[in-house]
Amino acid sequence: MKLIKLTAISAAVLASTAALAAEPVVVVDDNTAVAYEAEPVAVAYEAEPAYAYNADAGVVRNTTGAVAGGTKTFFQTAINPAAVSAEVGTLGYGANIAWGLNENTELQAGWAGGDVADLFGGDIDIDDVNYDVDSDFSNPYLGVQLRPTGNWFTMGAGIIVPDNDIDVTANPQNGGIYKIDGVEYDANDVGSLQGTIEHRNKLAPYATIGFRPNITENFGLFGELGAAYLGKTDATVRTNGTSNNVGVKGSNIGSGKTSAEVAAEAQRELKSDNYLEWLPIVKVGATYRF
């Protein structure tokens, strides 16, 4: 009987002292003291994850995991564009790649260039002098294309990095004259007038509006209208003439100017015109969407 009572009391005491499991428990029965060593109590803990992101606070615990995950996402986005396009227009012939930022916004990177002088008529009139134009355009650009109403209507804006070579050659008028600043100079005395035009802006902002209807699930067409600000121009005009007294129509004594001085007057006119300071953007193309 004593053994049964002793066992029951011991069990009750052990159960009530689980928090003190490391401490020995002493039970007294009929003046007899018996010490029992308490068994340790197993406590289960939920393991913390290796890394965690707190989206609300914008905090990342475990920088290595976050950077690796972010790099992977960026890399996957970069190598998986939303669309590729081919285009032709006043910027030149080229193509662009687009990445979708959301369902209505795309980031575009592209290039357009080549000899597009014929798209502007192939010649220009600067005051009373007509020039043939040869061009070699190079226009890499980066921009954003928006669909503000969620349909085919688009708006675009961005930056062009222009590197456009524009060469000009003056054409004598009927009768073999160059009319510069109101004076009709003998073209034979002046010589051949050739020059270059360079825009000052190294970065040219642009804006466009357009349409991008889808023909099939993957293919579509587009057209855009807009302008880019290339800035004011610097111009040079040179001549192969060597006359020290360029003849003037209707005068027997000549102008008293050298061929180089007449070329300098033509250069001032060409520079002050600021040819294509605002470059019109007109382009059409086709798009393939992934």
Side-chain angles (χ1 to χ4, degrees):
M1 185 57 122
K2 282 187 177 183
L3 180 58
I4 295 175
K5 290 174 60 179
L6 182 60
T7 302
I9 294 172
S10 299
V13 172
L14 287 174
S16 64
T17 58
L20 303 175
E23 297 294 330
V25 178
V26 179
V27 180
V28 179
D29 183 78
D30 292 340
N31 299 322
T32 301
V34 181
Y36 294 88
E37 189 73 27
E39 290 294 329
V41 178
V43 181
Y45 297 93
E46 184 176 354
E48 287 290 323
Y51 57 87
Y53 301 92
N54 187 332
D56 294 333
V59 176
V60 178
R61 301 197 301 267
N62 189 317
T63 305
T64 303
V67 171
T71 303
K72 183 178 180 182
T73 300
F74 175 80
F75 179 73
Q76 287 178 335
T77 300
I79 65 174
N80 290 283
V84 293
S85 301
E87 64 182 59
V88 59
T90 53
L91 290 177
Y93 310 88
N96 67 64
I97 302 175
W99 293 268
L101 303 182
N102 56 51
E103 62 181 8
N104 292 329
T105 308
E106 290 181 347
L107 177 66
Q108 288 185 338
W111 178 90
D115 186 359
V116 297
D118 289 341
L119 296 175
F120 298 97
D123 64 340
I124 56 173
D125 291 318
I126 305 298
D127 290 343
D128 294 313
V129 180
N130 178 264
Y131 292 90
D132 284 332
V133 179
D134 290 319
S135 65
D136 185 11
F137 276 19
S138 178
N139 292 300
Y141 61 89
L142 182 67
V144 175
Q145 191 77 227
L146 303 174
R147 293 178 183 263
T149 57
N151 57 15
W152 54 265
F153 175 71
T154 64
M155 298 177 63
I159 292 292
I160 299 172
V161 187
D163 184 15
N164 301 324
D165 297 327
I166 303 173
D167 298 323
V168 295
T169 302
N171 296 312
Q173 296 180 9
N174 293 334
I177 62 171
Y178 292 121
K179 189 174 182 180
I180 302 172
D181 198 21
V183 180
E184 296 180 332
Y185 297 100
D186 187 329
N188 291 324
D189 288 346
V190 174
S192 175
L193 293 177
Q194 296 182 325
T196 60
I197 300 173
E198 182 178 356
H199 291 94
R200 298 176 186 175
N201 280 12
K202 302 306 178 185
L203 294 175
Y206 74 86
T208 62
I209 59 173
F211 63 95
R212 287 180 174 264
N214 293 326
I215 306 303
T216 68
E217 183 178 352
N218 297 106
F219 286 96
L221 302 176
F222 70 88
E224 293 181 24
L225 298 174
Y229 183 67
L230 299 182
K232 297 185 180 300
T233 62
D234 291 321
T236 61
V237 174
R238 54 195 177 277
T239 179
N240 60 0
T242 57
S243 175
N244 291 322
N245 184 19
V246 175
V248 176
K249 184 178 181 179
S251 173
N252 294 324
I253 61 174
S255 64
K257 296 178 181 178
T258 66
S259 298
E261 288 173 333
V262 174
E265 290 184 2
Q267 177 175 298
R268 283 192 291 271
E269 286 189 347
L270 186 61
K271 180 178 179 179
S272 63
D273 187 75
N274 290 318
Y275 175 62
L276 293 182
E277 178 180 1
W278 286 93
L279 174 66
I281 296 177
V282 180
K283 61 181 177 179
V284 294
T287 297
Y288 179 82
R289 295 194 172 277
F290 298 100

